[in-house]
Amino acid sequence: MTRKSGDASRSTIRDVAARAGVSASTVSRVLGGVYPVSAATRGRVMRAVRELDYVADARAKAIAGVGTPTLAFVLEDITGPSFAHMAHGVEREATRLGHLCLVCSTEGDVRHELEFVEMMRAQRAAAVILVGGTADTPEYRERTHRMADSLASAGSRLVLCGRPPLDPGAPVTVIEYDNEGGAYTLVAHVLAQGHRRVLFLGGRADHTTALGRERGYLAAHRARGLTPDPSLLLHGDFTRDAGHRLMRQALKDDLDFTAVVAATDMVAAGALTALHEAGLTVPGDISLAGYDDIPFARDLHPALTTVHVPYEELGRLAVRTALDHTPGSPDEHLLLGTHVVVRDSVGPPPAR
């Protein structure tokens, strides 16, 4: 029986998939047009769409401007404090401009990300905002360029926040903050206190955000004519547990350092706990700095010296630029500044 668009039991993408004998993701691909699909499969899906009045109803609403226009915010981990603040900025600005904001947490699953973007294209979302660093590979650039083209063909816009830019000419907006510059200024501040053995607790070796902060660490040393000991560069992820584990390992290995720069405030929090557990004081025995300036950084004991990233403003700017773009316009690249927030966790090295 064919369902009418006004029926309370409105058909879903799963209903279409069941009628066509395919998966829901295949229906999404047919409607999104990002992936090639066989003519036979496309025919079955579109026949089911017509019989259930599925896409005709959704597209008619989007084209006619009926209902609330939508923005999509896609991130890897919704529990990360910095991402939560960016999401807050996106949601507040979207609400101010009369848009509904949908949030998708992919947990690093590329297929999930692609399927969500396809769904947003099919529903004529005004923009899709992808957030957070990633591995900058040819596969990433090709995949993301394809998403940008697909969204642009539907009158939408792809916005990359803190992600690597694409090749020139892609219909995408890139909004970044001075990731490397922030790390450079922070490490320069630590070195200015007299430290020469600075342990760096970084992120994944292939992660663009982690690499930017590591480049800043190295550049600050070079600017002072210093070559950091490679044994003082440790890699993990951006979590509290990683900071705790790496700090304990550094102490167990008896590495020689007087200061620690952590790639995030969460990593710094874990490192601080490990230092306290070892009976060391901060900054009396070891100085410690973080990155991000998430709210609890000021409530640690001691309060954490860190780099302030304007995450909420990044989210707001992502929404404004996405909605202000001219359909079909090429790439645009915006860069926000960062600055060091000096608190109590960094001091001169102890006398030896």
Side-chain angles (χ1 to χ4, degrees), residues 33-36 110 114 117-118 121 139-153 158 166 170-171:
V34 177
Y35 286 104
V110 172
L114 286 169
V117 171
E118 291 169 20
R121 178 190 182 277
E139 291 78 14
Y140 158 79
R141 289 176 175 268
E142 191 277 333
R143 180 179 71 245
T144 309
H145 202 306
R146 188 171 66 239
M147 286 193 292
D149 286 339
S150 176
L151 289 167
S153 71
L158 181 66
L166 304 181

Side-chain angles (χ1 to χ4, degrees), residues 242-279:
H244 186 259
R245 182 181 69 254
L246 292 174
M247 190 73 259
R248 290 187 63 182
Q249 188 63 48
L251 295 172
K252 179 181 177 182
D253 292 344
D254 200 25
L255 294 181
D256 179 20
F257 58 92
T258 61
V260 179
V261 171
T264 71
D265 292 345
M266 293 297 291
V267 173
L272 180 61
T273 298
L275 289 168
H276 285 164
E277 291 171 347

